[in-house]
Amino acid sequence: MARYNDLARDLKRAERRRRLMAIALIAPLFLFLLVSFVLPIGDMLRRSMVDTELSEVWPRTTALTKAWVWDRKSDPTPAMFRALGEDIRESAQSRTISIAARRLNYALRNGRSLVMNTGRALRSETDDPSDWRARLVEIDPAWGERATWIAIAQAAGPFTDFYLLTALDLERTANDKIAWRPPKQSLYLQVLGRTLLISVTVTVLALVLGFPVAYLVANAPKRIAGLLLILVLLPFWTSLLVRSAAWIVLLQDQGLINGALQALGIINEPVRLIFNRTGVVVAMTHVLLPFMILPMIATMKTIPPTYMRAALSLGAHPAIAFVRVYLPQTLPGVAAGVLLVFIMALGYYVTPALVGGADDQMLAHFIAFYTTSSANWGLAAALGVMLLTATAVLYLVYARLVGMGLVKLG
């Protein structure tokens, strides 16, 4: 009995050691994913809903506005105007007013000018006016408008729906109702639709062009297949920036493609192929094509050639045998390639920025702009949430199709 207990204890110790070894092996990868993936996404979600810029600069105004936020049908109180005037004056004297001006400029047209001009007018004043509302309205009538106070209430924090609403082309009106933004100010849903359209187009073209190549590589003799596989992987040895810039040389009016078409007599004058949607689709398809081909090659190599030979020996036409026997077995690779290419295309930035025009920029361009140029991290994060949501919906649809058996894996 004692020998049995010793053996059981040794087995438990060995099992515990094996588990600790497994945890130690995956710990670096887990930490890498946590630092480079989970934490940035969590911070992006936080920035899209958290707004503390204005409350740090105008603490008295935002505190009173938070109390007013539940009763926005009433007019702003004299205490709110007093707090606003004092906060503007103090922030102008401490030179932090630009933070408030930048934040209100997101929600108000000429919001920056409104705040900065008021700050200059109040900075040198030492005595409080008897009526702060009258003094502020005297400087600029916009301080008496409800839309201005709605904007301040939205920016009072610590949580806000302003950025998410803006990303969806929505806004809060002076009556605190959510409504569509005016057509001239609506942009992001159109950009999202453009991003989806370009991504779908690139994915379809990559599938149409990549399937024959994958079939050829998977079924060619080993020596030829190895050479073809090297050609498929060759673009990875060149920088994405260089590959995208090379298409400018190829597609420009005096480029190789227009020159070849004119030499063949197909066109009489150069066709505009660059800095438009055509250039974006062509360049992105070229860049993403290997990501479509490689998953299909991996799947096609697992399909025994005897299946097709058996179908042909039983009298099936080659086309029918291909469609009914071979093609269904490639669906896991096709689905993986389509999912990979589409998700990567959704977040593309470099290629459209180089070869596309102003009307061809995708959602990633605006995320980069608000991150690096205007420092509007909240709106950049909200647009990132839109992109993340589109990717998650696509994956859920893919998982649903797999669960329904429309795409059979394994």
Side-chain angles (χ1 to χ4, degrees):
M1 188 66 180
R3 188 178 182 85
Y4 173 79
N5 291 335
D6 291 341
L7 180 60
R9 186 169 55 254
D10 292 340
L11 287 175
K12 288 182 179 179
R13 187 181 297 112
E15 181 67 18
R16 186 165 54 252
R17 188 183 303 113
R18 186 185 66 82
R19 291 179 179 177
L20 291 176
M21 181 64 68
I23 293 175
L25 289 174
I26 66 172
L29 177 60
F30 174 78
L31 292 176
F32 174 77
L33 292 177
L34 180 66
V35 172
S36 64
F37 186 73
V38 178
L39 292 180
I41 289 181
D43 185 63
M44 178 185 69
L45 295 174
R46 181 188 67 84
R47 287 178 180 274
S48 67
M49 296 179 289
V50 174
D51 189 0
T52 59
E53 283 186 319
L54 192 65
S55 61
E56 294 174 355
V57 180
W58 292 353
R60 289 185 289 260
T61 303
T62 53
L64 292 176
T65 306
K66 290 176 185 177
W68 176 73
V69 76
W70 301 105
D71 186 24
R72 293 182 187 171
K73 294 182 180 179
S74 62
D75 294 329
T77 64
M80 294 170 62
F81 282 100
R82 171 179 291 275
L84 176 62
E86 293 175 350
D87 282 339
I88 292 177
R89 184 172 59 190
E90 292 182 7
S91 61
Q93 292 172 350
S94 62
R95 300 185 183 277
T96 59
I97 194 171
S98 59
I99 299 176
R102 182 185 62 195
R103 175 58 186 88
L104 289 182
N105 196 54
Y106 298 157
L108 293 173
R109 181 175 298 181
N110 299 322
R112 181 177 181 83
S113 301
L114 170 66
V115 175
M116 298 302 291
N117 292 337
T118 306
R120 281 191 290 269
L122 296 177
R123 182 177 5 183
S124 58
E125 296 183 2
T126 56
D127 298 331
D128 292 344
S130 58
D131 187 345
W132 271 105
R133 185 187 188 283
R135 179 67 180 115
L136 290 173
V137 172
E138 178 187 358
I139 297 173
D140 196 313
W143 292 118
E145 298 177 1
R146 294 183 57 82
T148 303
W149 287 96
I150 291 293
I152 296 175
Q154 283 184 317
F159 300 103
T160 181
D161 59 0
F162 171 75
Y163 296 117
L164 292 175
L165 290 177
T166 303
L168 295 173
D169 287 335
L170 298 171
E171 64 179 1
R172 288 192 179 274
T173 63
N175 297 323
D176 197 29
K177 302 294 184 181
I178 297 177
W180 294 105
R181 298 173 70 89
K184 292 184 178 180
Q185 301 178 22
S186 299
L187 173 64
Y188 303 111
L189 288 182
Q190 178 184 352
V191 173
L192 179 62
R194 179 197 308 162
T195 301
L196 293 173
L197 177 61
I198 293 176
S199 300
V200 169
T201 304
V202 170
T203 303
V204 172
L205 286 177
L207 177 60
V208 172
L209 296 175
F211 192 93
V213 176
Y215 179 83
L216 180 61
V217 174
N219 295 277
K222 286 187 176 180
R223 180 176 298 178
I224 298 177
L227 178 61
L228 293 175
L229 187 59
I230 290 176
L231 295 177
V232 171
L233 297 175
L234 190 61
F236 290 124
W237 301 348
T238 307
S239 168
L240 172 62
L241 184 63
V242 174
R243 280 181 282 166
S244 300
W247 279 106
I248 299 178
V249 179
L250 294 174
L251 296 176
Q252 62 183 331
D253 292 348
Q254 306 302 323
L256 296 177
I257 294 179
N258 268 308
L261 293 176
Q262 287 179 293
L264 294 173
I266 299 177
I267 58 175
N268 296 323
E269 57 183 15
V271 177
R272 187 168 182 78
L273 301 174
I274 199 67
F275 305 128
N276 55 18
R277 188 68 53 84
T278 301
V280 171
V281 171
V282 170
M284 286 183 60
T285 302
H286 167 253
V287 172
L288 295 175
L289 190 57
F291 296 98
M292 178 69 73
I293 295 175
L294 293 176
M296 291 193 292
I297 291 176
T299 300
M300 291 177 180
K301 281 185 173 294
T302 64
I303 302 175
T306 54
Y307 290 175
M308 283 290 291
R309 290 198 291 264
L312 295 175
S313 66
L314 293 174
H317 189 275
I320 296 178
F322 180 83
V323 172
R324 301 190 62 178
V325 176
Y326 188 85
L327 188 60
Q329 298 181 78
T330 66
L331 289 183
V334 170
V338 167
L339 185 68
L340 182 61
V341 170
F342 186 79
I343 289 177
M344 293 184 66
L346 281 177
Y348 245 59
Y349 166 68
V350 174
T351 303
L354 288 178
V355 301
D359 295 331
D360 304 304
Q361 300 306 312
M362 301 169 67
L363 202 58
H365 168 82
F366 292 88
I367 295 175
F369 170 77
Y370 287 119
T371 301
T372 59
S373 298
S374 64
N376 189 348
W377 287 87
L379 185 53
L383 294 176
V385 170
M386 284 182 60
L387 206 56
L388 178 63
T389 303
T391 304
V393 168
L394 173 67
Y395 178 77
L396 291 176
V397 171
Y398 171 78
R400 180 70 174 175
L401 294 177
V402 172
M404 294 172 61
L406 299 180
V407 178
K408 296 181 179 179
L409 302 177

